[in-house]
Amino acid sequence: MGRLPCHPLTPLSKAISARPRFLSLSGDRRVSIPAHLTARRSPALSGRVRAPGDKSISHRALILGAMATGVTDIEGLLEGDDILATARAVEALGATVERLGEGRWRVTGCSGFKAPVGVIDCGNAGTGVRLLMGAAAGYPIAVTFDGDASLRKRPMQRVTGPLASMGAGFDWANELDRLPVRIVGGALKAIDHVQTVASAQIKSAILLAGLNAAGVTTVTEAEPSRDHTERMLRAFGAEIGVLPMDGGWRVSLMGGQDLAGTAVAVPGDPSSAAFPLAAGLIVPGSGVTVEGVMLNPLRTGLFETWREMGADLTVANRRMAGGEEVGDVTARHSTLTGVVVPPDRAASMIDEYPILAATAAFAEGATVMRGIGEMRVKESDRIALMAAGLTACGVRVTEEPEGFTVFGGPVRGGATVTTHGDHRIAMSHLVLGLAAEEAITVDEPDMIATSFPDFLQLMRGLGADIAASE
């Protein structure tokens, strides 16, 4: 067994800044990432690969395991930078965290978070920091949360506002609504929160705080967001109610409930599986299968959209893993046609619009994506960056405040794309390069490790021509 490389008494900001980026973590083997990666037009891709563990569930397994009494054994944990930041955070808050082997982790809960020594640095993990703030708010401790330059630009008041209504205190160090922030928790009261935007992060933060609040905490959503937190709370022994309401639902949770450690099997991440599957759709002659992909209907909006575009996308071997339906998804090269993506589908695929835009570049006609203003406050302004990258590669794009339209046709390529350190922007343009006329280069590919540590090796194993470049 090996403890995390960062001891809780080590200042987390120093630990993260000193830690080298890597794409692969297996035991002590680490593979460094070059300054640039270049993707070139590739021959037909083929093979079967395993989807990396789901990022959303990996965060929640660590946090709930830390809040619970007893031991939580996790199989298939995503070992990306964002998840490792959350693992170090819960260790700093008093849990014991051990890595038992590749993807195998054990969390021994602390039955109540303890005040950490120093700042908790969440790196680039937006989900991690927002859920951790919700969890920490329920305990009588003071915690300062911070992150990297990208995370410091992302809005936090959408979460801290409801938590403040429950009684948590916040002290903003530099700028209101931006990290770093000091939170003082404890003595919370339940609230009835009505969501104005479908956001699993906001809902989850409120529910995690509600575990230690007096009364019944409710969250009402007009459009359902991801329900991973509700499912996992039940797995850890909590009673949680979900009442359907006019196309949405009302989620309720009684405060004062104790969680018990459990076994968690993390299913494959559909957001990560999207990249090799997209490559299978656009590279002529290809057939790519990704095994063990989560098929939760609140996460499969991209697959539905691809099928509407004419994609040859099939699912086999449906089964249950960790309380979620999973299956083996196969994508074969397809002739795609542009579509209008329903705005109400955004909640089920908000992280997949960059790779949808890349595949839309090879479709006949226009693919219209609206109602996705949330993309502008992710790790970067993803609408602006995808529009700029595609345009540089010869693709016609029209940008709007809340969306954009991609007009398919020949993709010239031949550009170096600025990613602003956004992993999904980098991977989407590398996939684009596999079928473009000329090579496409991306900068700052080290950030791919935040969500998909083995991206480079996995894609090369399928036959993709992706290599380091100056």
Side-chain angles (χ1 to χ4, degrees):
M1 296 183 184
R3 293 295 301 276
L4 278 169
C6 173
H7 189 276
L9 297 182
T10 302
L12 296 179
S13 59
K14 292 182 180 179
I16 290 177
S17 63
R19 180 174 167 274
R21 299 284 181 187
F22 58 90
L23 275 181
S24 178
L25 173 61
S26 179
D28 293 327
R29 177 175 62 86
R30 300 192 177 196
V31 180
S32 296
I33 290 196
H36 294 80
L37 286 175
T38 297
R40 294 176 174 81
R41 192 174 184 88
S42 297
L45 308 181
S46 64
R48 299 180 68 90
V49 294
R50 188 79 181 174
D54 185 76
K55 189 177 178 185
S56 296
I57 290 182
S58 293
H59 280 301
R60 288 162 171 80
L62 290 169
I63 294 170
L64 290 176
M67 297 176 73
T69 299
V71 173
T72 294
D73 283 321
I74 307 170
E75 293 281 348
L77 188 84
L78 173 65
E79 293 180 335
D81 284 1
D82 282 7
I83 304 303
L84 297 181
T86 294
R88 287 195 290 274
V90 298
E91 188 177 52
L93 289 163
T96 299
V97 183
E98 300 169 288
R99 183 178 188 271
L100 308 180
E102 188 167 358
R104 296 175 51 241
W105 292 66
R106 175 170 294 162
V107 180
T108 303
C110 46
S111 301
F113 284 174
K114 312 298 189 296
V117 176
V119 173
I120 289 188
D121 190 327
C122 292
N124 192 244
T127 298
V129 71
R130 291 179 177 127
L131 269 59
L132 284 164
M133 285 195 289
Y139 300 102
I141 58 175
V143 186
T144 297
F145 291 99
D146 202 355
D148 65 10
S150 173
L151 193 58
R152 282 187 170 196
K153 295 177 182 177
R154 300 179 67 178
M156 293 294 148
Q157 210 161 15
R158 55 180 57 189
V159 167
T160 63
L163 295 179
S165 298
M166 299 176 79
F170 294 91
D171 180 16
W172 303 93
N174 299 321
E175 180 183 357
L176 183 67
D177 196 29
R178 299 294 189 269
L179 297 178
V181 63
R182 180 175 181 265
I183 177 173
V184 179
L188 300 186
K189 295 181 180 180
I191 60 170
D192 188 348
H193 179 76
V194 178
Q195 295 267 57
T196 57
V197 58
S199 170
Q201 292 181 358
I202 300 172
K203 174 178 65 177
S204 298
I206 295 169
L207 293 175
L208 293 179
L211 283 170
N212 292 299
V216 178
T217 295
T218 64
V219 180
T220 302
E221 294 185 304
E223 297 178 13
S225 66
R226 300 178 183 185
D227 62 350
H228 304 315
T229 298
E230 295 94 309
R231 290 171 181 255
M232 293 193 71
L233 281 168
R234 292 191 189 98
F236 278 84
E239 292 186 8
I240 186 166
V242 179
L243 178 65
M245 297 180 62
D246 299 326
W249 53 31
R250 180 183 176 92
V251 183
S252 59
L253 175 75
M254 173 65 76
Q257 299 189 59
D258 294 324
L259 303 180
T262 188
V264 178
V266 180
D269 193 331
S271 298
S272 295
F275 297 103
L277 292 172
L281 293 177
I282 66 174
V283 176
S286 296
V288 172
T289 298
V290 183
E291 299 176 346
V293 180
M294 183 201 302
L295 299 175
N296 184 314
L298 295 173
R299 293 289 300 280
T300 55
L302 175 65
F303 298 163
E304 185 176 353
T305 302
W306 274 343
R307 289 192 180 100
E308 291 172 356
M309 296 172 73
D312 184 350
L313 200 70
T314 57
V315 179
N317 192 22
R318 291 178 181 265
R319 57 201 184 276
M320 298 300 293
E324 299 277 1
E325 184 180 12
V326 302
D328 302 337
V329 183
T330 298
R332 299 175 182 85
H333 177 246
S334 304
T335 299
L336 303 176
T337 303
V339 297
V340 177
V341 185
D344 61 6
R345 195 173 290 169
S348 68
M349 56 179 291
I350 193 64
D351 289 330
E352 285 80 73
Y353 280 94
I355 190 59
L356 172 61
T359 53
F362 296 93
E364 180 180 350
T367 298
V368 181
M369 295 162 276
R370 294 195 174 110
I372 53 174
E374 180 73 9
M375 283 182 65
R376 293 198 183 274
V377 292
K378 288 288 188 176
E379 285 85 335
S380 67
D381 183 340
R382 286 178 171 166
I383 292 175
L385 286 185
M386 283 306 301
L390 290 172
T391 299
C393 294
V395 180
R396 186 160 70 95
V397 181
T398 58
E399 185 178 341
E400 304 172 15
E402 297 289 320
F404 61 138
T405 298
V406 176
F407 297 86
V411 179
R412 185 189 67 244
T416 295
V417 175
T418 300
T419 66
H420 285 241
D422 190 314
H423 52 125
R424 299 198 192 280
I425 299 298
M427 289 185 283
S428 296
H429 283 94
L430 288 172
V431 170
L432 187 80
L434 299 178
E437 295 170 2
E438 301 176 25
I440 296 175
T441 297
V442 301
D443 69 355
E444 300 187 76
D446 58 317
M447 292 304 290
I448 292 172
T450 63
S451 65
F452 203 154
D454 292 317
F455 173 79
L456 184 57
Q457 291 88 336
L458 182 147
M459 295 300 295
R460 283 174 172 171
L462 293 171
D465 186 350
I466 303 177
S469 58
E470 295 297 328

